[in-house]
Amino acid sequence: MIALLEARRAGLLRPGNWPRNIVAGLIVGVVALPLAMAFAIASGVKPEQGLYTAIIAGIAVSLFGGSRVQVAGPTGAFIVILAGVVAQFGVSGLLVATLMAGVILVAMGLARLGAVIRFIPDPVIVGFTAGIAVIIWVGQWQYFFGLPTAGEGPFYLKVWQLLHAFTQLHMPTALLGLGSLALVLYGPRIPGMARVPGPLLAMIAATAVVVAFDLADVATIESTFGAIPRALPTFAVPSISFDDVMLLLPSAFTIAMLGAIESLLSAVVADGMAGTRHDSNQELIGQGIANIVSPLFGGIAATGAIARTATNIRNGGNAPIAGVVHALLLVLILLVIAPYAGRVPLSALAAILFVIAWNMSEAPRFLRMVRQAPRADVAILLITFGLTILTDLVVAVNIGVILAMMQFMRRMSSAVEVVEHKQASLRQELDAAGLSALPTDVAVYSIDGPFFFGSVDSLERALSWSHDAPRYVALRLERVPFIDATGLKRLESTIGHLRARGVTVLLNGANMGVLRKLVRTGIVGRDDPGGYFKDLSDALLHVEAQRAADGASSAAE
């Protein structure tokens, strides 16, 4: 359900509930101000585009999302992929890729894929998130220390160039960055400042220092990107061609997947904090709408922001009102104090991103996984991490997910067993068939687990007898939850090979889903009374009846 309608049904839009949500929204807006500009600059676009994104996404997700406490906007997870798109296709290409990602997100929500996103393994998520954090951290060295811009090239080459450039460190910029970093981390501990967010405190203090001491050689937003316009964004449809769509499709898909993962992760965290229950599919639709509308007004990609959502909940927000208020406050800031924001030093924003990168990296969790996780998962974690840094996010995520899937299939295939049952374990079935012992010419096997392409070889191995084959093979299927096309084909060929050797196969016990597939493929005939049985006892009764019929036929001859 749409969060706004759910909140209305719960009575959260009544006038008495507005004050707490207005207060929460104002606080979140203050927190979002420096983050929106910092994320935009790190993504390779102008700072005001970060504000446009926070405004539009904040309203869209609050009105159409699936969590009534979610706050959306630009986030650190997007920085690497957005900066790469800008570098290759320009800002116009980024706007097109964001719009395409929005369409993909809406389609995912309509297809009810919200629950599927949770199946991406932790080693892949932790690996690429840690890799993004390292890239963000290194990418801010030039602003934090006042270094020359690194040239184009792979990540390791840029790191080498920046390390060599430390001899050109700009001391006033570096000192300002260190002071800003201290305020981000410890500012709220200053008496009387407990309610002031550290990033905002660092931004204001650093700006005051630049203005008071007239530090003209310290890079600021205005000196680097120009003045922030004191105006609302204008509507403009980006130029889109078929060639652009084809070239930008991988990037758009990556933006959509990252947005889906982060927004749903944020919604889960919000549920735990606020005691709510989000609608994952509607959340994807809300995020998709935000990413469709945002580029139409010059904004960039947005998703649910965990830090801003948590701030909203901690300060009493419990309805979409807070998310809308946070966006309206940013509109007011844009219209009133935009010229003053141009004096913010980039070293202060870099300090904010340093802290964000550390939080994103989840270093303790990363190291704990390296020490404690199974070796295959550790390999996937490190490969994804390394590819994120050394290649790009698209390659890292794709290869990480493929490796995780292959590892999962390996584990699943090894867990599927074809077991031969001896007489001692079949007492109940024998009693039901009126038999005191299992006939010597009957072998009973069961398939335990899903019979899919990764496990089909186990059946042939089990039925490769070194001695004379039995006359009958009863194959129990009650422990097969599903069977795929490869499993059906291999089962059909195995039955054919056994029949060619004079062995009759008695399938039995399949659930309705598996049985329908057996009938549809012709393995079980609708008019074949000897091909399939409800359970093993019926199959054994058929064997006895067949034996009796053969005996009567022999006597008549």
Side-chain angles (χ1 to χ4, degrees):
M1 177 183 289
I2 297 177
L4 186 65
L5 300 180
E6 194 269 338
R8 179 185 178 189
R9 178 176 296 180
L12 298 175
L13 301 185
R14 294 171 182 168
N17 195 50
W18 280 56
R20 61 186 295 178
N21 283 281
I22 291 175
V23 171
L26 292 175
I27 295 173
V28 175
V30 170
V31 172
L33 174 63
L35 298 180
M37 293 193 294
F39 291 144
I41 292 171
S43 299
V45 299
K46 295 182 177 181
E48 60 266 24
Q49 291 181 269
L51 295 176
Y52 299 160
T53 306
I55 292 168
I56 295 166
I59 293 174
V61 172
S62 294
L63 296 181
F64 303 109
S67 171
R68 65 188 188 215
V69 292
Q70 181 87 284
V71 178
T75 66
F78 282 135
I79 288 176
V80 176
I81 186 65
L82 300 191
V85 174
V86 172
Q88 186 174 0
F89 302 101
V91 176
S92 60
L94 174 60
L95 299 181
V96 174
T98 302
L99 194 152
M100 291 169 58
V103 174
I104 293 171
L105 283 167
V106 171
M108 291 169 63
L110 293 176
R112 308 193 68 79
L113 296 178
V116 177
I117 301 299
R118 298 199 301 265
F119 297 152
I120 296 180
D122 270 359
V124 177
I125 295 176
V126 174
F128 79 68
T129 303
I132 291 171
V134 171
I135 295 174
I136 293 172
W137 176 58
V138 173
Q140 294 304 304
W141 287 3
Q142 65 182 84
Y143 297 129
F144 189 88
F145 298 106
L147 304 176
T149 302
E152 295 298 323
F155 175 78
Y156 61 86
L157 185 59
K158 291 181 180 179
V159 172
W160 184 251
Q161 292 172 347
L162 287 170
L163 290 174
H164 276 278
F166 265 88
T167 56
Q168 305 175 52
L169 178 145
H170 188 250
M171 189 57 66
T173 299
L175 291 175
L176 200 60
L178 290 170
S180 300
L181 182 61
L183 285 175
V184 173
L185 294 172
Y186 305 110
R189 300 183 186 181
I190 299 173
M193 296 292 181
R195 302 284 292 179
V196 181
L200 180 67
L201 185 61
M203 188 178 72
I204 293 174
T207 305
V209 170
V210 169
V211 173
F213 293 95
D214 193 22
L215 300 177
D217 53 349
V218 172
T220 64
I221 290 177
E222 187 171 337
S223 67
T224 307
F225 301 98
I228 297 177
R230 187 188 291 181
L232 293 175
T234 56
F235 178 84
V237 179
S239 176
I240 305 175
S241 67
F242 180 78
D243 290 342
D244 292 336
V245 171
M246 292 297 101
L247 288 172
L248 292 167
L249 189 59
S251 298
F253 184 77
T254 303
I255 293 171
M257 289 300 298
L258 282 177
I261 292 169
E262 189 164 5
S263 65
L264 294 181
L265 178 61
S266 177
V268 170
V269 172
D271 287 347
M273 295 179 64
T276 56
R277 185 176 180 182
H278 75 280
D279 183 331
S280 58
N281 296 309
Q282 185 60 44
E283 182 64 23
L284 292 180
I285 293 173
Q287 297 291 341
I289 292 172
N291 283 282
I292 291 173
V293 178
S294 177
L296 299 179
F297 291 92
I300 59 176
T303 186
I306 296 176
R308 276 159 273 177
T309 299
T311 301
N312 178 35
I313 297 170
R314 291 193 192 103
N315 287 279
N318 64 354
I321 300 167
V324 174
V325 170
H326 128 273
L328 295 178
L329 176 63
L330 292 177
V331 171
L332 183 63
I333 292 172
L334 186 64
L335 296 177
V336 175
I337 66 170
Y340 305 101
R343 305 296 298 274
V344 175
L346 297 182
S347 58
L349 297 181
I352 294 170
L353 287 174
F354 273 11
V355 176
I356 289 171
W358 170 257
N359 292 334
M360 278 184 62
S361 71
E362 295 188 276
R365 182 183 180 190
F366 186 97
L367 295 175
R368 185 169 60 251
M369 190 173 289
V370 169
R371 291 194 305 267
Q372 300 176 358
R375 285 181 295 178
D377 290 333
V378 173
I380 293 171
L381 169 72
L382 296 178
I383 289 172
T384 306
F385 174 74
L387 289 175
T388 302
I389 294 174
L390 300 176
T391 58
D392 62 64
L393 198 59
V394 178
V395 173
V397 172
N398 288 342
I399 292 181
V401 170
I402 290 171
L403 289 175
M405 290 172 61
M406 293 175 66
Q407 170 65 4
F408 172 76
M409 287 187 291
R410 187 186 70 82
R411 289 173 176 168
M412 285 292 294
S413 61
S414 63
V416 178
E417 295 182 316
V418 178
V419 180
E420 182 178 7
H421 293 271
K422 300 299 182 180
Q423 178 171 309
S425 63
L426 298 174
R427 179 52 52 196
Q428 183 176 353
E429 290 82 357
L430 292 173
D431 289 343
L435 300 174
S436 59
L438 183 67
T440 56
D441 58 352
V442 177
V444 179
Y445 292 85
S446 68
I447 301 176
D448 294 354
F451 197 58
F452 69 110
F453 62 89
S455 61
V456 291
D457 290 339
S458 57
L459 178 62
E460 292 186 349
R461 286 196 302 267
L463 300 183
S464 298
W465 299 286
S466 57
H467 52 81
D468 293 338
R471 183 179 178 186
Y472 298 95
V473 171
L475 192 57
R476 306 178 68 176
L477 303 176
E478 60 260 31
R479 295 182 181 177
V480 178
F482 69 86
I483 185 170
D484 71 353
T486 306
L488 289 166
K489 181 176 176 59
R490 193 64 64 87
L491 179 61
E492 184 177 22
S493 65
T494 300
I495 292 174
H497 293 154
L498 291 176
R499 285 176 177 170
R501 297 175 61 184
V503 179
T504 300
V505 179
L506 312 170
L507 300 177
N508 60 89
N511 63 46
M512 288 304 298
V514 172
L515 181 57
R516 288 194 194 97
K517 293 178 180 179
L518 295 175
V519 172
R520 191 180 302 126
T521 55
I523 296 175
V524 172
R526 296 180 183 275
D527 300 321
D528 181 11
Y532 177 79
F533 303 90
K534 183 179 69 174
D535 51 35
L536 177 60
S537 59
D538 281 357
L540 294 175
L541 287 172
H542 173 77
V543 169
E544 291 302 304
Q546 187 66 42
R547 200 188 308 278
D550 292 344
S553 176
S554 299
E557 292 177 359

